[in-house]
Amino acid sequence: MISHDSCEQDQSGAPRRLWGMTFWLLGRAARNAQQLTQEQLTSAGMRRGFYGVLATIAEFGPAAQAEIGRRLGIDRSDMVAILNDLESEGFITREQDSTDRRRNRVALTRAGRGALSRFDRAIAEAEDKLLTAFTLDERAQLVGLLERLVQPPQ
């Protein structure tokens, strides 16, 4: 651990006392990952929120808008905007739920499955750039540690 008595700064301008602090390092790593990922996804033609929504529908099948939003922690109004964009791109369809006419069920289209494959590749490229300093074993270890960190307490 780095001494907190030091007032020196690292090359980014952050105080040295922050280096070695888990909260700061995780936040910095998350920002770096988000920036790299967003750059890759934007170059693949994806906007914010697309990937999570498409991945959720692909994994869990057609679902109500509200259910998708709950799974991803997306606010209702943001969810509607994302779905509007996905529908205008031809990646999803929204149909009235046959069991509850007040709800829409959202499903992937063939174009949506193709887009998700492109976005998967873009995410993999972003992760590869982010983790370039790690060996494959170190990457696997990091993923395992992060998965444990984000698991809800039992």
Side-chain angles (χ1 to χ4, degrees):
M1 182 160 205
I2 294 174
S3 168
H4 295 290
D5 296 332
S6 173
C7 290
E8 295 176 39
Q9 294 182 338
D10 72 21
Q11 292 174 348
S12 71
R16 291 293 308 161
R17 75 179 333 128
L18 294 177
W19 288 90
M21 301 296 247
T22 305
F23 81 93
W24 187 81
L25 291 169
L26 283 172
R28 189 64 160 271
R31 281 190 303 279
N32 291 348
Q34 288 171 345
Q35 181 179 358
L36 274 171
T37 301
Q38 194 56 50
E39 289 170 4
Q40 288 296 123
L41 291 173
T42 299
S43 71
M46 187 168 94
R47 293 191 291 278
R48 185 169 172 83
F50 279 22
Y51 187 72
V53 171
L54 294 176
T56 299
I57 299 166
E59 183 168 334
F60 298 105
Q65 296 176 186
E67 180 183 339
I68 298 165
R70 277 191 300 275
R71 284 186 182 278
L72 297 171
I74 297 176
D75 179 78
R76 183 178 295 176
S77 61
D78 292 336
M79 188 69 200
V80 169
I82 291 167
L83 292 177
N84 287 344
D85 289 345
L86 287 168
E87 190 171 37
S88 72
E89 295 286 338
F91 296 159
I92 62 152
T93 59
R94 288 189 272 196
E95 300 170 354
Q96 194 172 54
D97 189 324
S98 62
T99 61
D100 184 345
R101 296 169 86 69
R102 297 169 294 168
R103 293 190 304 193
N104 281 325
R105 291 186 55 77
V106 182
L108 279 181
T109 63
R110 177 178 289 154
R113 284 188 288 280
L116 184 55
S117 292
R118 287 193 314 277
F119 301 153
D120 282 338
R121 287 190 297 276
I123 292 285
E125 288 175 24
E127 282 193 357
D128 196 46
K129 287 180 182 179
L130 179 69
L131 302 175
T132 193
F134 297 130
T135 66
L136 291 178
D137 286 342
E138 289 170 329
R139 291 176 186 203
Q141 183 179 14
L142 176 63
V143 168
L145 292 169
L146 290 171
E147 285 175 344
R148 285 178 35 203
L149 191 60
V150 300
Q151 288 297 317
Q154 295 187 22

